[in-house]
Amino acid sequence: MEMNQPIGHTPLDGKPEGLLGRPIDRIEGRLKVTGQAPYAYETRELKNPAYGFIVTAGIAAGTIRSIDTQAARTAPGVIHVMTHENVPAQGEKKEQVWPQLAGREVRFYGQPVAFVVAETFEQARAAAGLVTLTYDVAKPKASLRAAMPETYKPKPAQTDPDSALGDFEGAFSAAAVKLDVEYTTPAQIHAQMEPHATIASWEGDRVVLFTANQMLNRGQKSLASVLGLPPENVRLVSRYVGGGFGSKLQALPEATLAALASKVIRRPVKVALTRQQEFHVGTHRTDTIQRIRLGADKDGRLGAIAHESWSAAAEGDQFFETSANVTRSLYAAPNRITRHRIANLNTPIASAMRAPGEAVGQLAFECAMDELAEHLSLDPIELRVRNEPAEDPEKKVPFSVRQLVPCMREGARLFGWDRRQAPASTREGQWMLGMGMSAAARLNPLMPSSAAIRLGPDGILTVRMAMTDIGTGTYTILAQIAGEMLGLPIERIRVELGDTAFPAASGSGGSFGAGSAGSALYVACDELRQTLLKAADLNPEGAVFADGRVASGNRSEALADLAGANGIEAKGEIKPGEMKQKYSQYSFGAHFAEVGVDADTGEIRLRRMLGVFTGGRILNAKTAHSQAIGGMTFGVGAALMEEAAIDPRYGSFVNHDLAEYHVPVHADIPAIDAVFLPELDDKANPLKSKGLGELGICGAGAAVANAVYNATGIRIREYPLTLDKVLKGFEEQEARAQRRS
Amino acid sequence: MKAFSYERPASIQDAARLSAERPDAKFIAGGTNLLDLMKLRIETPATLIDVNRLPLAEVADTTDGGLRIGALVRNADLAAHPRVRKDYAVLAKALLAGASGQLRNKATTAGNLLQRTRCYYFYDTAMPCNKREPGSGCAAIGGFNRIMAVLGTSEACIATNPSDMNVALRALDATVETLSAEGRARQIPIAAFHRLPGDTPQVETSLERGEIITAVTLPKPVAGVHIYRKVRDRASYAFATVSVAAILTKGDGKGNGGIGQARFAFGGLAHKPWRVEEAEAALVRTGQADAAADAVLQGARGYGSNDFKIPLARRTLRAVVAEAARA
């Protein structure tokens, strides 16, 4: 199926009591909590593995002068030490997957420079510590701020880095009310629970990798390129993934190294990154500098919007943080520009992290809107309502469905937004209290995906696709879709994912997983329905699939009987189509946060938070809720604590462990809730659903930052809002008060 | 991790003797800090001396009304001990402000005394660090030093002692009891136990080779409001940016501004818990937290990203004094 027109009525419609949407527990949950779901590193399917450990560069720029592996090679248990001097021949870089140990050049701190393979993990790690390197050290370029003069326009990737409409400069300079502000966001680390891990093994010229990966077919192609193999010779297996958040969208060096070493020693090789290595060998979200200019009339109607973003990319790469993309679709204004520029730095590889673009773009833009509302003495919701566009303001096409205003209104009601007071006017003991809100929007893409299903003679339906479940609940929602389509109870659905031997699928990322893979499954189930009706010789008109049977007219047949001795198979495929061009598709929401700020110390503590969202059809109320509050928690982290601090002298992330890189702990998230408003989006996909995995983070941090402003009257434009920045604000306020008295 | 030999001596005396004989030996108890450092090759002991089965896990009353805490008493047990909760609440509060429940179950009293700094550069063997590799330089000076010290620093090192417990012990005037390889017992006042970095930041305590900590003793309880105020970047599981352990009593209202007796120590500011007796006197004399803070922060110096600790220390002390006045 190609998504070329609205889907119309489907078998999923009009079933409020159906399986789909119900808040059922994850079908693989029991396996996970009892330790029976093997993650990549734990698989026992490849026997007698050797253990690898990565040696990383201690400099950010320069060349390796010498590498001494003598001590490591003779250390107990060591099988092989691989360096640029003896690494097997490799193919070409593809996307962000580079050949490993490819030469003497060091381009970033933490770049793998050797790979030690031993009989045990402990032996590999001990020997890795014996590899000694000398370098010709160059001065690294590691500060985005310092590199601003040499930033440039990156090659267009999926989207053009620039957009322009009308006469921004003219309209901005003529505007009655102007705002011109710079926000910065720091580098961030995914900090997913399961580290990157791979176990690789060869059979002839074919390699199999059990690996922690979000997008298997993409990983298959890029690893094939780097290993110099045709893609069909590379099999990736990733049945369970312990969190991704974008960190596993591509194969990391550990996968390539395991494959190369396994080829040399003719034995499976397994390797996992240490938590510290995750910061440098893994990817991160780049820091950004963003300038936002808003010009409005005195009623708050925007006439001019400019959103410019500068970000850092690794040497030889043009990944850019699409911070301003969402600004193209969010608010009405006739005159507008967006612009993205990058600098190539000697920092580790910048790549996607949960809601790349929107997450940091809305941290900045939704605070700028709050600032404008303050200037205009307008309620922040009212300002947004006044700038609600009738159609996508840049693409000039209708929105598929846009319920931003209902989300804001319902959120305001549920949260008690009318109790919000003027800035710095509410106290409770030493706590200064404040409320903030933000809009949320996240692009809803549909990706090509396919699925195969088989109804067995036992009445069990087996679903297969090279899809992944990265902890989001994909296994469960796929079972719900199949069960709903065929009238089977969930116990009679088996979902098998995570293997490139299965039909190619979208994988998990960019909020497209459920909609894309789910739609492929929908199409396969629809085909199976037709086949079954034919086999039963039943009238499709008014046919009902329920309780393991199909009924039409006054006849009904058990699906198990119709399957026959050999079972029945069906395939399904979904592709994006004209709906993508004809409509602007986003999921929307609104965040509300209340914070307390300690008037003595500047410590900020979240008190409660609410998100009201629309994401089309909700496939599982429980996993959707978890995605939403998980995203919001990410937003709280981004607002208040997450920062991978770069030391520009060394090009390293200084605080490279979870003791000093802070993500929220339970105590930081006291009361958080998410609500979904009813919606069906018939332009999005046959499920009428939209992506939810990233919506929760979009704008969430801005709501917290706006609440901090409301509590204190202090506007901090440099994320994260740590207590030292609040203290600086207190001191400025106190100095002003002293001058006045 | 570098390979090491493992020893489990049968007696405290044997443990001390073994550590004297093996210069590269380290005692291991909870291992909550040491094992991490060994995995990262920051610590590379040739021998681990496991002291976990030695009879050092008792908490007992002393004859003068104080408390003797065995070196192996776990942080969780110590925080929950009825006498600690009743008479040394500042210690219980400090312990519970530290780490996580899991870590507190493993971490011991002596181990906590000896826990090493969290300086980012100390934790990265690719970086210069005089504490880890004497003579290599200090990357924290001129670098990202948000968590570093502002008092008692040197050209060689600006690291802090990250412990919460130690700050409370300093306010309580605890004594560290040790046994030497030769069998000599020694009592080290907590003030003299931790050292400033000076030119030898790798030497963090006044322990001598072969000396093993056997206990920490607390003098008889001091009446007053016990407060441990830990200012941190998230609500739990974070080291202090600044902390204050304080025991304050209300004054008689005659000229002392509301504070009768005061003792307080700071964490997060220096290479050791920071206590200035003159500041305590100033607080009692004037009743003004700012006067006390002036005395504490004399000579304080920021290094860039930690500049905020100086005003934060002052403001935190103000908050603590105000809390005591409300109590």
Side-chain angles (χ1 to χ4, degrees):
Chain A
M1 176 189 290
E2 231 177 70
M3 204 55 201
N4 288 325
Q5 54 265 319
I7 188 68
H9 185 84
T10 79
L12 301 175
D13 290 333
K15 292 185 175 176
E17 302 297 315
L19 179 58
L20 195 57
R22 283 221 308 256
I24 60 171
D25 293 340
R26 286 154 203 254
I27 56 177
E28 84 291 10
R30 191 182 174 83
L31 289 180
K32 282 181 173 167
V33 299
T34 54
Q36 295 175 82
Y39 290 78
Y41 196 77
E42 301 162 336
T43 183
R44 289 171 188 264
E45 289 175 45
L46 301 174
K47 302 294 177 201
N48 190 29
Y51 291 76
F53 197 90
I54 301 172
V55 181
T56 59
I59 64 164
T63 48
I64 298 168
R65 194 189 308 148
S66 70
I67 181 159
D68 183 354
T69 60
Q70 174 64 23
R73 276 184 285 128
T74 53
V78 172
I79 301 163
H80 184 58
V81 180
M82 199 163 69
T83 70
H84 67 273
E85 290 167 353
N86 63 355
V87 70
Q90 294 171 77
E92 296 293 312
K93 170 193 182 233
K94 187 170 170 68
E95 295 181 333
Q96 287 190 304
V97 183
W98 277 264
Q100 293 300 308
L101 312 176
R104 292 180 173 274
E105 193 196 354
V106 175
R107 295 175 310 180
F108 64 90
Y109 179 97
Q111 176 182 318
V113 290
F115 189 59
V116 177
V117 184
E119 293 292 341
T120 70
F121 166 72
E122 288 78 10
Q123 288 170 332
R125 184 172 61 184
L130 301 175
V131 175
T132 52
L133 289 116
T134 60
Y135 303 99
D136 292 313
V137 184
K139 191 171 166 352
K141 251 190 335 184
S143 160
L144 176 59
R145 179 71 70 183
M148 282 291 272
E150 54 193 89
T151 50
Y152 64 95
K153 181 178 172 179
K155 278 200 308 259
Q158 279 131 343
T159 54
D160 197 305
D162 290 2
S163 73
L165 206 67
D167 169 21
F168 169 77
E169 297 292 347
F172 181 69
S173 61
V177 182
K178 293 194 202 54
L179 184 80
D180 182 353
V181 286
E182 182 186 282
Y183 277 82
T184 62
T185 64
Q188 295 173 342
I189 301 296
H190 307 83
Q192 79 289 351
M193 227 191 293
E194 181 204 20
H196 289 83
T198 296
I199 170 165
S201 180
W202 291 75
E203 213 169 285
D205 60 353
R206 305 173 78 85
V207 64
V208 57
L209 297 100
F210 284 72
T211 186
N213 193 293
Q214 296 176 227
M215 292 177 74
L216 296 188
N217 298 104
R218 184 186 189 197
Q220 179 186 36
K221 288 190 195 96
S222 50
L223 280 169
S225 173
V226 165
L227 296 172
L229 295 171
E232 60 271 21
N233 285 23
V234 179
R235 179 180 165 216
L236 264 59
V237 183
S238 205
R239 294 187 187 124
Y240 301 101
V241 182
F245 312 124
S247 73
K248 295 165 182 167
L249 287 175
Q250 53 232 334
L252 281 200
E254 110 283 349
T256 307
L257 290 167
L260 292 169
S262 171
K263 189 176 185 180
V264 174
I265 70 165
R266 296 166 185 278
R267 182 174 158 188
V269 170
K270 70 194 273 186
V271 58
L273 297 190
T274 65
R275 184 54 68 183
Q276 288 81 0
Q277 288 174 340
E278 285 287 337
F279 285 73
H280 295 113
V281 180
T283 59
H284 65 277
R285 194 202 302 274
T286 166
D287 46 336
T288 69
I289 298 170
Q290 299 180 50
R291 183 186 183 194
I292 292 165
R293 283 174 287 170
L294 300 175
D297 67 19
K298 52 188 190 325
D299 295 327
R301 282 182 182 81
L302 288 164
I305 296 175
H307 190 172
E308 296 163 274
S309 170
W310 293 264
S311 62
E315 281 292 336
D317 198 26
Q318 296 212 359
F319 178 89
F320 67 100
E321 189 70 29
T322 52
S323 319
N325 276 15
V326 65
T327 305
R328 295 171 186 171
S329 300
L330 205 42
Y331 300 114
N335 306 289
R336 45 206 303 145
I337 53 173
T338 65
R339 206 176 272 159
H340 298 89
R341 296 291 178 269
I342 60 167
N344 287 113
L345 300 184
N346 297 110
T347 42
I349 296 160
S351 191
M353 179 166 144
R354 202 171 196 172
E358 284 95 338
V360 291
Q362 285 173 65
L363 278 179
F365 199 88
E366 288 298 304
C367 281
M369 287 294 280
D370 204 64
E371 293 198 57
L372 183 65
E374 184 73 23
H375 284 309
L376 290 159
S377 302
L378 260 185
D379 183 279
I381 295 177
E382 181 56 29
L383 173 65
R384 287 166 172 88
V385 170
R386 288 186 189 180
N387 291 287
E388 178 71 4
E391 59 175 9
D392 188 296
E394 296 204 13
K395 282 187 214 145
K396 302 286 184 195
V397 296
F399 288 98
S400 56
V401 199
R402 176 171 165 132
Q403 293 202 71
L404 174 58
V405 173
C407 286
M408 292 192 294
R409 298 254 195 254
E410 180 65 2
R413 190 184 70 78
L414 292 170
F415 198 70
W417 181 247
D418 58 346
R419 296 201 301 274
R420 178 173 173 263
Q421 303 292 318
S425 63
T426 312
R427 277 294 276 264
E428 184 188 289
Q430 90 269 28
W431 293 102
M432 310 173 83
L433 303 186
M435 290 188 199
M437 65 79 58
S438 161
R442 164 68 202 177
L443 187 69
N444 179 60
L446 178 66
M447 300 287 274
S449 215
S450 52
I453 56 176
R454 178 175 183 275
L455 182 67
D458 50 3
I460 302 274
L461 184 86
T462 304
V463 176
R464 287 182 155 184
M465 60 180 97
M467 183 56 190
T468 51
D469 184 332
I470 59 172
T472 50
T474 311
Y475 276 108
T476 311
I477 57 125
L478 291 177
Q480 286 175 278
I481 291 166
E484 189 71 76
M485 286 294 286
L486 295 165
L488 290 169
I490 199 146
E491 300 76 24
R492 285 169 66 180
I493 317 279
R494 292 216 182 107
V495 184
E496 297 181 8
L497 305 178
D499 194 329
T500 53
F502 300 155
S506 63
S508 306
S511 296
F512 51 64
S516 305
S519 294
L521 178 58
Y522 167 94
V523 175
C525 291
D526 202 40
E527 188 192 304
L528 189 66
R529 284 167 62 105
Q530 309 312 322
T531 313
L532 288 167
L533 284 167
K534 251 181 229 148
D537 196 21
L538 283 169
N539 183 4
E541 203 64 36
V544 174
F545 286 76
D547 305 321
R549 304 182 72 84
V550 52
S552 187
N554 52 8
R555 268 180 54 223
S556 109
E557 298 273 355
L559 297 197
D561 296 341
L562 295 172
N566 298 322
I568 306 181
E569 294 181 355
K571 285 199 165 80
E573 196 179 357
I574 188 80
K575 283 180 180 164
E578 289 169 27
M579 291 296 94
K580 189 178 166 179
Q581 282 78 41
K582 288 185 176 161
Y583 293 91
S584 181
Q585 293 184 28
Y586 284 84
S587 31
F588 289 97
H591 296 279
F592 295 82
E594 182 177 334
V595 301
V597 181
D598 189 305
D600 298 313
T601 63
E603 288 161 294
I604 302 168
R605 298 290 182 254
L606 181 72
R607 297 206 148 193
R608 61 194 181 100
M609 193 164 182
L610 171 72
V612 177
F613 303 108
T614 52
R617 189 194 304 277
I618 300 305
L619 305 174
N620 178 318
K622 185 175 190 175
T623 58
H625 183 264
S626 294
Q627 284 301 301
I629 61 172
M632 290 161 72
T633 302
F634 253 70
V636 175
L640 300 182
M641 60 191 84
E642 291 198 41
E643 174 177 17
I646 298 166
D647 186 331
R649 301 169 305 167
Y650 300 105
S652 64
F653 291 124
V654 176
N655 51 338
H656 58 276
D657 61 33
L658 294 182
E660 295 301 337
Y661 180 87
H662 288 168
V663 297
V665 295
H666 284 287
D668 292 303
I669 309 293
I672 191 167
D673 200 8
V675 172
F676 294 98
L677 301 186
E679 185 177 278
L680 293 175
D681 191 333
D682 62 354
K683 325 289 190 309
N685 60 46
L687 308 173
K688 305 183 184 177
S689 70
K690 286 190 289 201
L692 292 179
E694 294 164 311
L695 181 60
I697 186 176
C698 298
V704 174
N706 291 336
V708 171
Y709 175 77
N710 182 243
T712 61
I714 297 165
R715 179 67 68 180
I716 299 166
R717 299 190 185 90
E718 183 190 347
Y719 283 99
L721 278 58
T722 46
L723 61 93
D724 47 309
K725 295 167 194 167
V726 180
L727 280 185
K728 209 171 141 209
F730 283 161
E731 288 182 332
E732 285 164 8
Q733 284 178 338
E734 287 157 13
R736 273 200 300 276
Q738 244 170 17
R739 277 199 300 276
R740 275 200 298 273
S741 63
Chain B
M1 190 181 280
K2 192 179 130 189
F4 56 88
S5 59
Y6 172 85
E7 303 286 349
R8 201 165 70 214
S11 71
I12 303 164
Q13 188 61 67
D14 286 352
R17 208 173 294 129
L18 196 58
S19 91
E21 283 164 16
R22 307 218 184 148
D24 281 348
K26 282 262 173 191
F27 295 117
I28 183 161
T32 55
N33 189 201
L34 180 60
L35 290 181
D36 284 349
L37 293 168
M38 288 173 70
K39 289 174 189 172
L40 297 167
R41 284 192 166 248
I42 295 160
E43 296 268 18
T44 52
T47 304
L48 279 189
I49 304 171
D50 184 348
V51 296
N52 278 296
R53 301 190 196 187
L54 299 179
L56 293 170
E58 292 282 305
V59 180
D61 295 342
T62 61
T63 49
D64 64 352
L67 199 66
R68 187 173 186 278
I69 302 157
L72 286 175
V73 175
R74 309 283 154 173
N75 288 175
D77 294 336
L78 186 58
H81 192 277
R83 269 215 67 199
V84 174
R85 291 172 54 139
K86 178 167 151 283
D87 293 335
Y88 306 98
V90 66
L91 176 59
K93 289 175 180 179
L95 285 162
L96 293 175
S100 65
Q102 294 93 326
L103 287 167
R104 293 193 295 268
N105 284 341
K106 284 297 283 180
T108 63
T109 305
N112 197 331
L113 272 174
L114 296 175
Q115 74 168 294
R116 307 206 65 191
T117 184
R118 305 306 297 199
C119 173
Y120 319 111
Y121 300 93
F122 174 73
Y123 263 80
D124 186 346
T125 52
M127 296 289 152
C129 172
N130 289 320
K131 186 183 280 296
R132 179 170 31 75
E133 200 183 328
S136 62
C138 173
I141 297 173
F144 184 72
N145 45 43
R146 189 166 190 278
I147 63 172
M148 309 302 169
V150 294
L151 284 164
T153 56
S154 73
E155 302 274 294
C157 182
I158 61 170
T160 57
N161 183 314
S163 168
D164 293 299
M165 182 192 83
N166 293 348
V167 187
L169 291 183
R170 182 70 183 89
L172 288 165
D173 274 330
T175 301
V176 180
E177 289 185 14
T178 67
L179 185 72
S180 76
E182 295 78 31
R184 267 196 323 275
R186 184 158 80 112
Q187 306 229 322
I188 309 168
I190 186 78
F193 184 79
H194 294 104
R195 295 167 43 117
L196 289 179
D199 295 334
T200 54
Q202 73 278 16
V203 185
E204 291 169 353
T205 68
S206 54
L207 287 174
E208 286 161 15
R209 200 172 126 192
E211 202 171 10
I212 184 171
I213 298 171
T214 50
V216 171
T217 53
L218 303 178
K220 66 177 193 295
V222 184
V225 184
H226 285 227
I227 296 170
Y228 189 72
R229 177 70 169 96
K230 180 174 181 176
V231 182
R232 48 182 150 184
D233 284 325
R234 62 180 167 191
S236 176
Y237 200 49
F239 293 95
T241 52
V242 168
S243 68
V244 177
I247 306 170
L248 304 172
T249 60
K250 284 193 202 181
D252 52 13
K254 287 182 218 143
N256 61 15
I259 297 292
Q261 287 177 312
R263 43 167 83 196
F264 50 86
F266 284 83
L269 297 183
H271 202 254
K272 60 189 285 185
W274 200 260
R275 182 172 169 195
V276 177
E277 273 83 354
E278 286 161 44
E280 297 170 357
L283 179 59
V284 172
R285 198 171 56 245
T286 66
Q288 299 297 316
D290 276 0
D294 286 342
V296 171
L297 294 168
Q298 209 164 32
R301 166 187 173 191
Y303 289 82
S305 27
N306 70 348
D307 293 350
F308 75 97
K309 285 191 174 185
I310 299 171
L312 179 59
R314 177 181 297 276
R315 300 178 76 101
T316 309
L317 185 62
R318 266 188 223 153
V320 165
V321 171
E323 186 184 335
R326 280 196 305 272

